[in-house]
Amino acid sequence: MSAKKGWKSFNFDCVNGTSKNIKKDNFPKQIFKAQATSFNFEEKIIPQSVDDLAVHTRKISDVEFWLNNNVITKSRNHKPSILLITGPTGCGKTATVKVLCKKLDIEVSEWINPIDRDKDYAIGQTSRMLEFLSLSKYPSLLCMNKPKVILIEDFPNSVIHNPNEMVAILEKCSTCEKSVIFICTDLSNLNMNLPQTLFPDELRQKFSIYNISFNATSTTLMTKAVKRAKTIIEMHTDINNITDVTVDDIVSSSMGDIRCAVNQVYFTCSKVCNDLLPSTPPPKYSNKRKRKSKNETKNQVLLKNERLSFFHGIGRVLNPKRVEKNGSWRLKCDIQALVDEIGIQPTTFNSFIHNNYIKYFGDIHDISNAAEILSFSQIFLNKWENRENFLNYSLWIPIMGLMVYNEHKVLKWNQITAPRKHKKEINNDLETKSLNVVDRCYYNIINKLDLKNQLKPC
Amino acid sequence: MSLWVDKYRPKDLQKLDFHKEQAANLKRLIQQGDFPHLLMFGPSGAGKKTRIMCLLKELYGPGVERLRMEQMNFTTPSNKKLEIMTISSNYHIEVNPSDVGIYDRVVIMDLIKNVAQSQQLDSKGQKDFKIVVLTDVDQMTIDAQHALRRTMEKYIANCRLILCCNSTSRVIPAIKSRCLNIKVPAPSTDEIVSILQNTCKKEGLTVPVELAKRIAEKSNRNLRRSLLMLEACKVQQYPFTANQNITEPDWSLFIRNMAKLIIQEQSLERISKIREDLYELIVHDIPGDIIFEVLVDELTQNCDFELKLQIVEQAAIYEHRMRQGNKEIFHLEAFVVKFMCLYKKYLEDALGNSM
């Protein structure tokens, strides 16, 4: 509940009854405003040096190496090179480039999608982007001698709908004399995979695009960054209500998204300053496990839309939760969301489930139903035509089936094991090549071989 | 020491022991000069490979018998290196594309292109095409089969394909229609018996007809296995006796033992145990359909008629799915669990009736 109230306080436009309530609560508008004018958090939080970045040092040095080699010391007949940085949202891709360019004294000229105006409606964004690229070879008057790099993070909408236009853009890039950095966000979604649709392998090879892929921010780096944000706030205001527990909460709830985490820090401190609510969680949670407290504390409203980790997804399927309702029951799970969030190949997912489901079932009839479903779902994976459409079914069917049929759930901790990989053994012996695998045992008998890999009934 | 199977393999179309009319037809086909793509199919141990080698000899003369093994390397578009073993002579090349699993498409396209683009060295008197023999075509991915379809038409001028498989059910219709389909049925028991006796004569041994007959039946009319069984029997005990023990293959014993375990107990722990066993079989490359066959055979032995019907029905469903799908373990396990359920119910009913 507390969270809900906190959210309301931002809703100034609201003209119904609730707004009056807020006024009655004596909402300290002035304090909030004063802070906003005296201290621009957004500006301060931008990383100033390499040390401030919450990015793995190897990735930073990768990018720095590329900048050094391709932008600063460029051999004369060297073609301009293209760098592609990929990674999930908020892992510090743009920040890394900007900080490094600042450090190495490189001018960044960034493309931002223009807003269409009436008079140049006829000119598409893509053609204007091409124009931008051809103009960018001229140095800016302010920094004549600096090396320059072009940064493209905004992709015109038409390119996203029609990835073929990317070829023209990349061709322009390779003729425009300056090196180009593309920043492209990885989405964990089967339907939209920007790095792959915009930069397919052939294009990467053709234009020799160098790819650096960032991972989601690790917990250690995240903690460091959140602490830095905290220090910045404490330096500029007199708020210091962010405890270590809150830091942990924020770090674990932001799922590796540094931007989200930093915003949470800011929200937390601005929220509590209006003193509407008890800021500390009730003491009864204090000795419980951390995981529990995460869900209960005030930060709940700020939780990032949770992205399921792989094992988490498997756990959901194998440990279905039910809600009893009027004598019948429903699954307590949004299956559509679950299917969407599974970011790996259905084949792999199904193998994982198949390898582990028995441990979670308590009754042989349930297993039989589940096994039937799993076997059925395999059919969808072998259709090569319309494969895209069938992939979703091959996830839906086993997920639904296993969750529904698990009537006698086994509640104990089980280790998830990976499916076995079986590589076909290829017999390269000319003498036995013509023999079928199933007849090889006779060959052993005849030649009185006692091979160790013989099947022995146990 | 070469095996009897290889030692006494007929090298000439005239010398084949059974399906003589078919052999004569094949000979006429070659003499006509034009030679289509062939698709040989039939159960294993029926002599498909023998017929293919005879055909090649008929086409090119004894030169095809000088075989060499060669490792060929391919690179997939995703830069994965593949290695595949090929057996080749100057005139033909034999390869099993399913050795490289899902990457067979690359092998098909590159290999046939390589073969087709190089001209026949020895041009005088020989045919102006080379032959590519592909084995286990039914194990190939659908993708590779579609790739094959185009390649077959494109390079027909200087390259002919002989495809070899057990069943045409997994071969796409487009390929079937581009080939001359030749079925090689399994030899009859009598044919096997006479071949076994002839082989023994050549070795200077004698074999009782009863034993030969038992071997033929036990091998499921698989000639290659019959010969191997006979040779194995000879190693174990000679002179032959009519009722001597014929060694069963190890996998067969293994599966029968597994079936016993299934009948013994129907529980969750048992399912896990059976899964281990199934994996063991799969690791040893025992094909799923054979596992099904032996398993059903053993499981239905002490069931009443009604239960037998249900079990066979389920086995048919799951085996069909196994052909369509790709992961064998899914379907094998589902069948085993299904059987356990049916059997448990059957036992409970029987118990209920007797009480």
Side-chain angles (χ1 to χ4, degrees), chain A residues 3-12 22 27 29 32 270-271 274 276-277:
Chain A
K4 213 168 191 182
K5 274 187 187 169
W7 176 241
K8 266 181 208 158
S9 62
F10 290 98
N11 196 356
F12 298 118
I22 291 170
F27 174 63
K29 249 189 212 168
F32 196 75
S270 51
K271 188 173 65 168
N274 58 27
L276 274 173
L277 7 125

Side-chain angles (χ1 to χ4, degrees), chain B residues 257-270:
Chain B
N257 189 54
M258 198 165 76
K260 285 200 189 80
L261 289 178
I262 297 172
I263 290 175
Q264 232 168 52
E265 189 187 322
Q266 293 84 36
S267 68
L268 301 176
E269 296 78 48
R270 218 9 92 82

Side-chain angles (χ1 to χ4, degrees), chain A residues 351 354-355 357-358 367-368 372 375 378 382 420 422 426 428 431 438-439 442 446 453-454 458, chain B residues 1 85 99 224-225 229 231 247 249-251 257 268 275 279 282 284 318 321 324 326 331 333:
Chain A
S351 305
H354 179 260
N355 210 28
Y357 75 101
I358 289 182
I367 293 194
S368 161
E372 151 90 32
S375 137
Q378 285 297 299
N382 211 34
R420 266 162 268 208
H422 165 226
I426 296 151
N428 285 338
E431 192 174 356
V438 287
D439 293 328
Y442 289 112
I446 292 163
N453 61 347
Q454 207 161 3
C458 19
Chain B
M1 186 187 87
M85 253 351 208
D99 279 354
R224 177 181 43 226
R225 197 176 295 162
M229 277 178 165
E231 197 175 350
T247 322
D250 50 356
W251 47 265
N257 189 54
L268 301 176
R275 169 189 283 201
Y279 268 122
I282 291 173
H284 280 82
Y318 287 111
R321 277 188 193 163
Q324 290 176 311
N326 41 9
H331 312 286
E333 190 178 279

